[in-house]
Amino acid sequence: MIEVIHTPLGQEHPYEQLPEERFPRQPLAGATFTIGVVTRPPGVATRVVLHQQVEGVDQPPVEAVRLGDWRPELEVGVGAEYLERAIRIEQDVWQVKTAAPKAGQVLRYWLEADGVRTAVHEMRGESWQAAGGCTVDDGVMTVTRSGGSAGLPSGVPKLTAVEWLTDGQRARRVRLRFVAEAREAFYGLGERFNALNQRGQVMDVRCYEQYKNQGKRTYMPIPFLLSSAGYGVYVESSRWMQFDLAASSSDAWVLEADVGADEVLKLHWFTGDPLAIVGQFTRMTGPAVLPPLWSFGLWMSGNEWNSQKRVMDEVKQSLAHGIYPSVLVIEAWSDETTFYIWNDATYAAKGGDAAFRYSDFTFPAEGKWPDPKGMVDWLHENEVRLLLWQIPVVKVLEQPHAQHEADRAHFEARGLGVHDADGQLHRVKPFWFRGGYIWDVTNPEARDWWLNKRAYLLDDVGIDGFKTDGGEHLWGADTQFADGRSGHELWNEYPQRYSEAYYQFALQKREAITFSRAGYTGSQRSPLHWAGDENSTWDAYRHSILAGLSAGVSGIPFWGWDIGGFSGPIPDAELYLRTTAMATFCPVMQYHSEFNQHREPKVDRTPWNIQERTGDERVLPTFRFWVHVRHNLMPYIWQEAKHAAETGEPMMRALRLFDEQASDYEYYFGRDLLVCPVVEAGVTSTSVYLPAGEWVDLWTKQAYSGSQTVTVDVPIDRIPVFVRAGAILPLRLGESGQFGDAVSFGSEANAHWTF
């Protein structure tokens, strides 16, 4: 029996396609496109034919061509784990070309292989049509198909064209064309790893989990664009959109955006100083919530830390080395099935509607977590807070598990997950947790059920928050949510809603935080965020700095990344220490490492492991020095964190926003420190551009005039940092009165240095 498979949209992967899809999935009217089809088993089908009707009129059949070795067309450096299945399956791949119908006409088509037919598929011709315009009220531009030609406020670029992509019945997308100045630079659009200035790029707004080598893809897209011409624009939508930033035409930038049934798009315009613009946007979509003081200390984590003994050993080593952490993150703590029960705990399974208390569990002495509550108490006694890892997915059962089966049955019976258009619970399409259910965070019953399962961790165990990972699982555009919206509207917004639900739940019980990789507009309401998976390379380090600066422009003031990188071979001592120095002047200072099985030699990014693995005796004392500097600066850091929360201005402020002569990697840390990370290997001195004004070297106290490039020495224990002349730095210093002295963690200053 021949199996003939054609799925026009495939798995709706945002960037890559299976062989049985349409290429492109939604062609324009009259355009030639390709229909892909696979037949199984291979070598059986002798002929595949495309049958089609346009407006009910039969068209001549077209024979498909069988391809040889089909391989997906992928971007360089981009992983495609989900496509491995398609490549491995034994099948024949066929393609046939045809033309999309004229605008408004309907094409019905099906494929036949030796008498076996596919389902009939239908598509309506779409074309771009100039129509409508906009109205403007108090800086808000409303674009409609019946709008006029209202002028925009002063300082906003000229709108030169409005077009709608329509099938003759309704428009699903609008295209706006604006004038771009010759040297205009464009910043923002969320956490972006490819560049700081996006001029010349085509950037989409789509939340996506790209494992390393992110390129133009991002976990945290935000539809806010900041221009060097003195304006910013926020597109008030969670749907797909794309910015062509003087890429197709040097004198224009173009926005394409999907719209809903109301065929309306709203743009909010801001003008003035770059920081003021960012602040207005952040406050409008926020507020930017101030995380607790302890979240600005050192964070430690490692995927291999999957037992109480291992966790406590690592913390004890840190304390023994005089490196005092503030936050510990444990990822491999749960049974990896329920994701709310400690691994190796014994208990009597409950009904799927019930929640546990800590007293319901027994923790075997020989188990991985013999005393979680005792461990947390010990951490708190040593002034270390604890976050536990989470995902928003109900896994597919891999083996019998009574509690998971009960939870899953209740989840299914009550419909607590995202649904497909046919009413069935949606199953995860991406590679990670494929086949699982996605928790519907818009459903109040689902929120209460899900979070109450985890309440005992806060109430009884005393943890201090959650690492809310994996918010990028949603691909289906027609998936349905309890609040009436579809995947079109939620695939970007979902990670923000997910992390905010955890944050608000935890905050009701104690001073707590979330730590999230993915996000969207409004994510500043549930701090904090990190940059996701990156290699331990100089190139990845440079891209991480760009990501942090772009996130700051986009309203995310409290951000961090993994010191020395997270994945691959461990960093050498030089890269590790250069990145540690940069992280000292970053909102979140943390190290983390990949893999969740014990291995030798260890891949931990702890300073003691890096020193042991590299044999470089400078690692521990230099890392300790930077942690002490972090504590010395804590009064200033806390002062600037409060300012960021109050104003919406980022803590890390790219110098390029104010001076185009600066390096992409230079930034202000707060209002008075200019930081110039060392981003190349093997250098002992580096050039630094100083903006207008007077500046003082933080380490040597040497004064410099601005608007010039200077060369400074950068031994392994130095990063160029300059203080704005006239600034008064609140500091916390030890007996010597200098940076690097060990002091207790706190925000109270005992010294004020005037520069």
Side-chain angles (χ1 to χ4, degrees), residues 99-118:
K102 295 179 180 178
Q105 292 187 340
V106 175
L107 167 67
R108 300 175 75 247
Y109 70 90
W110 63 95
L111 296 120
E112 180 181 2
D114 296 344
V116 179
R117 292 174 39 155
T118 66

PDB file of all heavy atoms in Angstrom, residues 99-118:
ATOM      1  N   ALA A  99       1.194  27.306 -10.487  1.00  0.00           N
ATOM      2  CA  ALA A  99       1.028  28.744 -10.244  1.00  0.00           C
ATOM      3  C   ALA A  99      -0.101  28.973  -9.262  1.00  0.00           C
ATOM      4  O   ALA A  99      -1.140  28.294  -9.306  1.00  0.00           O
ATOM      5  CB  ALA A  99       0.751  29.481 -11.545  1.00  0.00           C
ATOM      6  N   ALA A 100       0.098  29.929  -8.378  1.00  0.00           N
ATOM      7  CA  ALA A 100      -0.959  30.314  -7.450  1.00  0.00           C
ATOM      8  C   ALA A 100      -2.089  30.992  -8.223  1.00  0.00           C
ATOM      9  O   ALA A 100      -1.849  31.625  -9.264  1.00  0.00           O
ATOM     10  CB  ALA A 100      -0.415  31.253  -6.385  1.00  0.00           C
ATOM     11  N   PRO A 101      -3.319  30.875  -7.762  1.00  0.00           N
ATOM     12  CA  PRO A 101      -4.441  31.486  -8.486  1.00  0.00           C
ATOM     13  C   PRO A 101      -4.382  33.011  -8.439  1.00  0.00           C
ATOM     14  O   PRO A 101      -3.679  33.598  -7.609  1.00  0.00           O
ATOM     15  CB  PRO A 101      -5.665  30.962  -7.737  1.00  0.00           C
ATOM     16  CG  PRO A 101      -5.165  30.695  -6.351  1.00  0.00           C
ATOM     17  CD  PRO A 101      -3.749  30.211  -6.523  1.00  0.00           C
ATOM     18  N   LYS A 102      -5.127  33.641  -9.308  1.00  0.00           N
ATOM     19  CA  LYS A 102      -5.223  35.093  -9.295  1.00  0.00           C
ATOM     20  C   LYS A 102      -5.879  35.567  -8.001  1.00  0.00           C
ATOM     21  O   LYS A 102      -6.550  34.803  -7.316  1.00  0.00           O
ATOM     22  CB  LYS A 102      -6.030  35.583 -10.499  1.00  0.00           C
ATOM     23  CG  LYS A 102      -5.377  35.295 -11.845  1.00  0.00           C
ATOM     24  CD  LYS A 102      -6.252  35.799 -12.992  1.00  0.00           C
ATOM     25  CE  LYS A 102      -5.597  35.506 -14.332  1.00  0.00           C
ATOM     26  NZ  LYS A 102      -6.454  35.958 -15.466  1.00  0.00           N
ATOM     27  N   ALA A 103      -5.673  36.830  -7.686  1.00  0.00           N
ATOM     28  CA  ALA A 103      -6.214  37.379  -6.448  1.00  0.00           C
ATOM     29  C   ALA A 103      -7.714  37.138  -6.370  1.00  0.00           C
ATOM     30  O   ALA A 103      -8.458  37.449  -7.303  1.00  0.00           O
ATOM     31  CB  ALA A 103      -5.914  38.869  -6.354  1.00  0.00           C
ATOM     32  N   GLY A 104      -8.147  36.560  -5.266  1.00  0.00           N
ATOM     33  CA  GLY A 104      -9.558  36.302  -5.040  1.00  0.00           C
ATOM     34  C   GLY A 104     -10.042  34.970  -5.566  1.00  0.00           C
ATOM     35  O   GLY A 104     -11.112  34.493  -5.163  1.00  0.00           O
ATOM     36  N   GLN A 105      -9.303  34.333  -6.476  1.00  0.00           N
ATOM     37  CA  GLN A 105      -9.707  33.039  -7.002  1.00  0.00           C
ATOM     38  C   GLN A 105      -9.287  31.913  -6.060  1.00  0.00           C
ATOM     39  O   GLN A 105      -8.344  32.063  -5.272  1.00  0.00           O
ATOM     40  CB  GLN A 105      -9.116  32.799  -8.390  1.00  0.00           C
ATOM     41  CG  GLN A 105      -9.678  33.710  -9.462  1.00  0.00           C
ATOM     42  CD  GLN A 105      -9.187  33.329 -10.844  1.00  0.00           C
ATOM     43  OE1 GLN A 105      -8.174  32.651 -11.008  1.00  0.00           O
ATOM     44  NE2 GLN A 105      -9.917  33.773 -11.863  1.00  0.00           N
ATOM     45  N   VAL A 106      -9.977  30.768  -6.167  1.00  0.00           N
ATOM     46  CA  VAL A 106      -9.713  29.630  -5.299  1.00  0.00           C
ATOM     47  C   VAL A 106      -9.099  28.499  -6.115  1.00  0.00           C
ATOM     48  O   VAL A 106      -9.627  28.106  -7.163  1.00  0.00           O
ATOM     49  CB  VAL A 106     -11.004  29.134  -4.613  1.00  0.00           C
ATOM     50  CG1 VAL A 106     -10.733  27.872  -3.797  1.00  0.00           C
ATOM     51  CG2 VAL A 106     -11.575  30.229  -3.719  1.00  0.00           C
ATOM     52  N   LEU A 107      -7.963  27.998  -5.635  1.00  0.00           N
ATOM     53  CA  LEU A 107      -7.312  26.819  -6.210  1.00  0.00           C
ATOM     54  C   LEU A 107      -7.560  25.635  -5.283  1.00  0.00           C
ATOM     55  O   LEU A 107      -7.280  25.712  -4.083  1.00  0.00           O
ATOM     56  CB  LEU A 107      -5.810  27.061  -6.363  1.00  0.00           C
ATOM     57  CG  LEU A 107      -4.958  25.821  -6.666  1.00  0.00           C
ATOM     58  CD1 LEU A 107      -5.275  25.273  -8.057  1.00  0.00           C
ATOM     59  CD2 LEU A 107      -3.473  26.133  -6.541  1.00  0.00           C
ATOM     60  N   ARG A 108      -8.122  24.563  -5.836  1.00  0.00           N
ATOM     61  CA  ARG A 108      -8.260  23.300  -5.117  1.00  0.00           C
ATOM     62  C   ARG A 108      -7.344  22.293  -5.798  1.00  0.00           C
ATOM     63  O   ARG A 108      -7.340  22.183  -7.030  1.00  0.00           O
ATOM     64  CB  ARG A 108      -9.712  22.807  -5.129  1.00  0.00           C
ATOM     65  CG  ARG A 108     -10.687  23.782  -4.490  1.00  0.00           C
ATOM     66  CD  ARG A 108     -12.130  23.312  -4.641  1.00  0.00           C
ATOM     67  NE  ARG A 108     -12.423  22.198  -3.718  1.00  0.00           N
ATOM     68  CZ  ARG A 108     -12.686  20.955  -4.112  1.00  0.00           C
ATOM     69  NH1 ARG A 108     -12.679  20.649  -5.403  1.00  0.00           N
ATOM     70  NH2 ARG A 108     -12.956  20.015  -3.225  1.00  0.00           N
ATOM     71  N   TYR A 109      -6.564  21.570  -5.009  1.00  0.00           N
ATOM     72  CA  TYR A 109      -5.634  20.626  -5.624  1.00  0.00           C
ATOM     73  C   TYR A 109      -5.471  19.388  -4.751  1.00  0.00           C
ATOM     74  O   TYR A 109      -5.724  19.404  -3.548  1.00  0.00           O
ATOM     75  CB  TYR A 109      -4.277  21.287  -5.878  1.00  0.00           C
ATOM     76  CG  TYR A 109      -3.459  21.596  -4.638  1.00  0.00           C
ATOM     77  CD1 TYR A 109      -2.555  20.661  -4.124  1.00  0.00           C
ATOM     78  CD2 TYR A 109      -3.576  22.820  -3.982  1.00  0.00           C
ATOM     79  CE1 TYR A 109      -1.802  20.942  -2.988  1.00  0.00           C
ATOM     80  CE2 TYR A 109      -2.830  23.105  -2.860  1.00  0.00           C
ATOM     81  CZ  TYR A 109      -1.941  22.165  -2.362  1.00  0.00           C
ATOM     82  OH  TYR A 109      -1.202  22.432  -1.242  1.00  0.00           O
ATOM     83  N   TRP A 110      -5.070  18.315  -5.380  1.00  0.00           N
ATOM     84  CA  TRP A 110      -4.728  17.076  -4.681  1.00  0.00           C
ATOM     85  C   TRP A 110      -3.672  16.339  -5.503  1.00  0.00           C
ATOM     86  O   TRP A 110      -3.427  16.661  -6.667  1.00  0.00           O
ATOM     87  CB  TRP A 110      -5.971  16.206  -4.472  1.00  0.00           C
ATOM     88  CG  TRP A 110      -6.627  15.726  -5.725  1.00  0.00           C
ATOM     89  CD1 TRP A 110      -6.449  14.533  -6.367  1.00  0.00           C
ATOM     90  CD2 TRP A 110      -7.586  16.446  -6.518  1.00  0.00           C
ATOM     91  NE1 TRP A 110      -7.221  14.458  -7.492  1.00  0.00           N
ATOM     92  CE2 TRP A 110      -7.945  15.609  -7.600  1.00  0.00           C
ATOM     93  CE3 TRP A 110      -8.194  17.708  -6.405  1.00  0.00           C
ATOM     94  CZ2 TRP A 110      -8.855  16.009  -8.570  1.00  0.00           C
ATOM     95  CZ3 TRP A 110      -9.109  18.082  -7.373  1.00  0.00           C
ATOM     96  CH2 TRP A 110      -9.433  17.247  -8.434  1.00  0.00           C
ATOM     97  N   LEU A 111      -3.028  15.381  -4.874  1.00  0.00           N
ATOM     98  CA  LEU A 111      -1.977  14.623  -5.538  1.00  0.00           C
ATOM     99  C   LEU A 111      -2.358  13.152  -5.559  1.00  0.00           C
ATOM    100  O   LEU A 111      -3.024  12.651  -4.646  1.00  0.00           O
ATOM    101  CB  LEU A 111      -0.630  14.823  -4.836  1.00  0.00           C
ATOM    102  CG  LEU A 111      -0.137  16.275  -4.902  1.00  0.00           C
ATOM    103  CD1 LEU A 111       0.022  16.845  -3.518  1.00  0.00           C
ATOM    104  CD2 LEU A 111       1.140  16.390  -5.706  1.00  0.00           C
ATOM    105  N   GLU A 112      -1.905  12.479  -6.600  1.00  0.00           N
ATOM    106  CA  GLU A 112      -2.240  11.074  -6.773  1.00  0.00           C
ATOM    107  C   GLU A 112      -0.983  10.299  -7.135  1.00  0.00           C
ATOM    108  O   GLU A 112      -0.200  10.722  -7.998  1.00  0.00           O
ATOM    109  CB  GLU A 112      -3.284  10.912  -7.880  1.00  0.00           C
ATOM    110  CG  GLU A 112      -3.700   9.477  -8.123  1.00  0.00           C
ATOM    111  CD  GLU A 112      -4.714   9.346  -9.240  1.00  0.00           C
ATOM    112  OE1 GLU A 112      -5.058  10.384  -9.851  1.00  0.00           O
ATOM    113  OE2 GLU A 112      -5.145   8.210  -9.508  1.00  0.00           O
ATOM    114  N   ALA A 113      -0.774   9.182  -6.463  1.00  0.00           N
ATOM    115  CA  ALA A 113       0.354   8.306  -6.758  1.00  0.00           C
ATOM    116  C   ALA A 113      -0.182   6.909  -7.034  1.00  0.00           C
ATOM    117  O   ALA A 113      -0.652   6.222  -6.114  1.00  0.00           O
ATOM    118  CB  ALA A 113       1.340   8.278  -5.597  1.00  0.00           C
ATOM    119  N   ASP A 114      -0.151   6.506  -8.285  1.00  0.00           N
ATOM    120  CA  ASP A 114      -0.593   5.166  -8.682  1.00  0.00           C
ATOM    121  C   ASP A 114      -1.964   4.837  -8.106  1.00  0.00           C
ATOM    122  O   ASP A 114      -2.192   3.765  -7.525  1.00  0.00           O
ATOM    123  CB  ASP A 114       0.432   4.113  -8.242  1.00  0.00           C
ATOM    124  CG  ASP A 114       1.769   4.291  -8.943  1.00  0.00           C
ATOM    125  OD1 ASP A 114       1.811   5.003  -9.961  1.00  0.00           O
ATOM    126  OD2 ASP A 114       2.763   3.727  -8.460  1.00  0.00           O
ATOM    127  N   GLY A 115      -2.879   5.803  -8.206  1.00  0.00           N
ATOM    128  CA  GLY A 115      -4.246   5.580  -7.771  1.00  0.00           C
ATOM    129  C   GLY A 115      -4.545   5.955  -6.335  1.00  0.00           C
ATOM    130  O   GLY A 115      -5.711   5.980  -5.933  1.00  0.00           O
ATOM    131  N   VAL A 116      -3.534   6.264  -5.541  1.00  0.00           N
ATOM    132  CA  VAL A 116      -3.734   6.667  -4.143  1.00  0.00           C
ATOM    133  C   VAL A 116      -3.694   8.189  -4.075  1.00  0.00           C
ATOM    134  O   VAL A 116      -2.731   8.814  -4.532  1.00  0.00           O
ATOM    135  CB  VAL A 116      -2.659   6.051  -3.219  1.00  0.00           C
ATOM    136  CG1 VAL A 116      -2.875   6.507  -1.784  1.00  0.00           C
ATOM    137  CG2 VAL A 116      -2.693   4.535  -3.315  1.00  0.00           C
ATOM    138  N   ARG A 117      -4.753   8.786  -3.510  1.00  0.00           N
ATOM    139  CA  ARG A 117      -4.889  10.235  -3.513  1.00  0.00           C
ATOM    140  C   ARG A 117      -4.689  10.837  -2.128  1.00  0.00           C
ATOM    141  O   ARG A 117      -4.980  10.210  -1.110  1.00  0.00           O
ATOM    142  CB  ARG A 117      -6.288  10.637  -4.013  1.00  0.00           C
ATOM    143  CG  ARG A 117      -6.510  10.333  -5.473  1.00  0.00           C
ATOM    144  CD  ARG A 117      -7.932  10.602  -5.903  1.00  0.00           C
ATOM    145  NE  ARG A 117      -8.522  11.801  -5.316  1.00  0.00           N
ATOM    146  CZ  ARG A 117      -9.503  12.484  -5.876  1.00  0.00           C
ATOM    147  NH1 ARG A 117      -9.997  12.095  -7.040  1.00  0.00           N
ATOM    148  NH2 ARG A 117     -10.020  13.540  -5.282  1.00  0.00           N
ATOM    149  N   THR A 118      -4.215  12.064  -2.116  1.00  0.00           N
ATOM    150  CA  THR A 118      -4.169  12.842  -0.873  1.00  0.00           C
ATOM    151  C   THR A 118      -5.523  13.502  -0.659  1.00  0.00           C
ATOM    152  O   THR A 118      -6.414  13.435  -1.513  1.00  0.00           O
ATOM    153  CB  THR A 118      -3.104  13.949  -0.941  1.00  0.00           C
ATOM    154  OG1 THR A 118      -3.499  14.917  -1.939  1.00  0.00           O
ATOM    155  CG2 THR A 118      -1.735  13.399  -1.285  1.00  0.00           C
TER     156      THR A 118
END
